[in-house]
Amino acid sequence: MGTHRRPKPPSRARIATLGIAAGAVSLLPTQSQAAPEPSMDEVRKQVAKLYEEAEAPTEEYNGIREQQQELQDEVDSAQDRLARKQQEVNELREKAGPLAAEQYRTGGIDPTVQLFLSSDPDDYLEKAEVLGRTGDRQAAALRALQGKQRELTQDRADAAKRLEALKEARAKAQEKKDEVQAKLTKARKLLNSLTAEQRAKVAAAQEHEDAAAGTSDATASYNGPAGGRAKTAIEFAYAQLGKPYEWGSTGPNSFDCSGLVGAAWRSAGVSLPRTVKQMYDAGRKVSKADLQPGDIIYWYNDSQHNGLYIGDGKVIHAPRTGKNIEIAQLDSMPFYAASRP
C-alpha cells in the first residue's frame, strides 16, 4: 500500500498573504457602496446632451447617403455603357471572324507561287484584287475592334473605381449610423434606468421647460406676413406640426431638422441640398436684423441644426429624437446664422 502524504500546512507568509487579500476584498465597494445613481435632473440633462450630440453625425450621415445615391446612379450608368460596349465588341468580332478566316485560307501562299499554279492568270489577278479589298476591310474591322476593346477596358476600370467609391460610401454611412444609434441607445438606457414615475416627472419637467421657452407642437395655421413661395413653405411646415423627429428622415410621416426645411421649400418648388451644411453653403446669408419669414435659421454652428423662421421671433423646427416638430422661440438655442433660399 502506498503512503498518503498529508498536505503541507500553509506557511506564515502564505497565511499573511491570504489575510491581506481577504482584507483587500472586504475593502472593495459592495453594491451598497456603489456610486449613487444620477438624479432625474442629471438623467434628463445627459439624455438631452446625447440627443444633441447625435445631430452632427446625423447630418454627416445624410450627406454621405446623398453621395451614395449619386455614386449608385453613376455605377448604374457605367454598367449600362459596359453592356452596350460589350455588345458592340461582340458584333465586331462576328464581322471580323469570316474576314480573318478567308485571309488565313489564302494568305499563307506566296503570291508568285499562286500565280504560277493558277491555270488562269486573269482569273487569279481578279481574285487577288478582291482579296486585296477583303484585306483592307479586315484591317479596318480589326482596327475598329481594337478601338472598341480599348474603350471597353477603360470603361471597366472606371466602373470598378466607381464601385469602390460606392463601397467606401456605404461603409462611412454605416459608421455614422452606428455612431448615432450608439448615442440614442445610451439615451434610452438612461431613461429606462428610471422608474415609470420618475420618467413621468422627467417628461413633465421637459414640458415645463418647453413652455418656458415658448415651444409648442399644437396644430395651427399660418396667418403671418409671408407671401409667395415663402408662404407656401411655411404653410407646409405648419401642416407637419406634431409629427415626430426621426433622424435621417425627409417625410412624409417624420422628419429630421434639414429634412423638414428641405421638404417645406420643395413644396414651394425650390430644391435645396440635403444637409444643414450644404444649405448653409448654398444660401444667401442674411443678418438677424433682416430676417424674413421663410429664411433658414442655423443654431450652434453651420452644420448641426436648422429650422424655418416664421416671423415674430419664432421658428418651426424638428428638434431631436423623442420630440415632435414644434414652434419655438428663435433664441431658445444659440443663434449662429441665417440664409435665404
Side-chain angles (χ1 to χ4, degrees):
M1 288 181 62
T3 58
H4 294 282
R5 298 182 62 184
R6 297 179 63 186
K8 187 178 180 181
S11 67
R12 289 184 180 181
R14 173 68 173 158
I15 292 171
T17 302
L18 290 171
I20 292 171
V25 169
S26 67
L27 293 175
L28 290 174
T30 63
Q31 190 66 28
S32 61
Q33 295 172 318
E37 292 293 325
S39 68
M40 284 188 297
D41 189 53
E42 287 172 336
V43 167
R44 185 169 63 84
K45 287 178 180 177
Q46 287 179 34
V47 168
K49 188 172 186 294
L50 285 165
Y51 285 150
E52 184 181 317
E53 289 173 351
E55 278 197 298
T58 292
E59 288 303 309
E60 291 180 64
Y61 171 82
N62 290 338
I64 296 168
R65 286 283 293 171
E66 187 178 41
Q67 178 193 25
Q68 186 178 330
Q69 186 56 56
E70 291 172 359
L71 286 168
Q72 184 65 64
D73 293 342
E74 289 180 9
V75 167
D76 292 343
S77 297
Q79 288 175 338
D80 288 342
R81 288 195 302 273
L82 277 175
R84 287 196 300 272
K85 286 275 175 66
Q86 187 64 63
Q87 183 61 33
E88 291 173 5
V89 166
N90 292 344
E91 290 173 359
L92 285 170
R93 280 177 178 164
E94 288 177 5
K95 289 177 182 176
L99 293 172
E102 179 66 22
Q103 184 71 8
Y104 176 78
R105 283 195 298 271
T106 60
I109 303 177
D110 184 271
T112 305
V113 176
Q114 289 183 31
L115 178 60
F116 177 75
L117 294 175
S118 175
S119 57
D120 187 344
D122 291 334
D123 179 58
Y124 165 77
L125 293 172
E126 184 179 336
K127 286 181 179 178
E129 185 180 355
V130 171
L131 286 173
R133 291 197 297 270
T134 300
D136 291 341
R137 288 199 303 275
Q138 180 207 10
L142 288 174
R143 282 195 298 271
L145 176 59
Q146 288 170 344
K148 286 295 178 186
Q149 188 68 56
R150 280 194 297 269
E151 290 177 14
L152 181 62
T153 302
Q154 183 60 50
D155 283 356
R156 278 178 177 157
D158 292 342
K161 287 180 182 177
R162 287 186 170 89
L163 273 171
E164 188 60 33
L166 179 58
K167 288 179 184 177
E168 290 177 5
R170 282 176 178 160
K172 286 180 183 176
Q174 187 62 50
E175 180 183 327
K176 288 300 169 186
K177 183 177 181 180
D178 292 344
E179 186 178 345
V180 173
Q181 293 285 23
K183 292 184 182 297
L184 300 185
T185 298
K186 189 174 181 181
R188 281 194 296 272
K189 285 181 178 178
L190 278 169
L191 288 172
N192 290 339
S193 69
L194 301 175
T195 65
E197 183 181 355
Q198 287 174 323
R199 283 198 294 270
K201 287 180 180 179
V202 167
Q206 184 64 59
E207 287 178 11
H208 178 74
E209 189 176 285
D210 289 346
T215 64
S216 169
D217 61 4
T219 303
S221 58
Y222 179 70
N223 55 7
R229 290 181 171 180
K231 182 179 180 182
T232 302
I234 292 173
E235 287 175 340
F236 177 93
Y238 262 79
Q240 315 313 311
L241 284 170
K243 290 185 178 180
Y245 174 99
E246 183 180 1
W247 75 277
S249 179
T250 58
N253 300 318
S254 60
F255 299 84
D256 62 20
C257 65
S258 56
L260 175 65
V261 171
W265 271 105
R266 189 162 54 249
S267 74
V270 178
S271 179
L272 297 179
R274 174 63 181 97
T275 70
V276 171
K277 174 65 174 171
Q278 290 168 337
M279 290 181 188
Y280 175 84
D281 290 341
R284 193 160 37 101
K285 306 304 180 295
V286 293
S287 68
K288 192 175 182 181
D290 294 328
L291 285 175
Q292 294 179 9
D295 288 346
I296 303 173
I297 306 299
Y298 305 87
W299 292 280
Y300 302 106
N301 53 47
D302 63 355
S303 62
Q304 183 168 339
H305 189 64
N306 67 2
L308 206 62
Y309 187 64
I310 58 176
D312 195 27
K314 294 182 180 179
V315 293
I316 286 182
H317 72 135
R320 58 170 174 75
T321 299
K323 297 189 72 176
N324 299 328
I325 294 169
E326 64 183 16
I327 294 174
Q329 293 294 327
L330 170 64
D331 292 326
S332 61
M333 293 170 283
F335 175 87
Y336 178 78
S339 69
R340 188 164 297 157

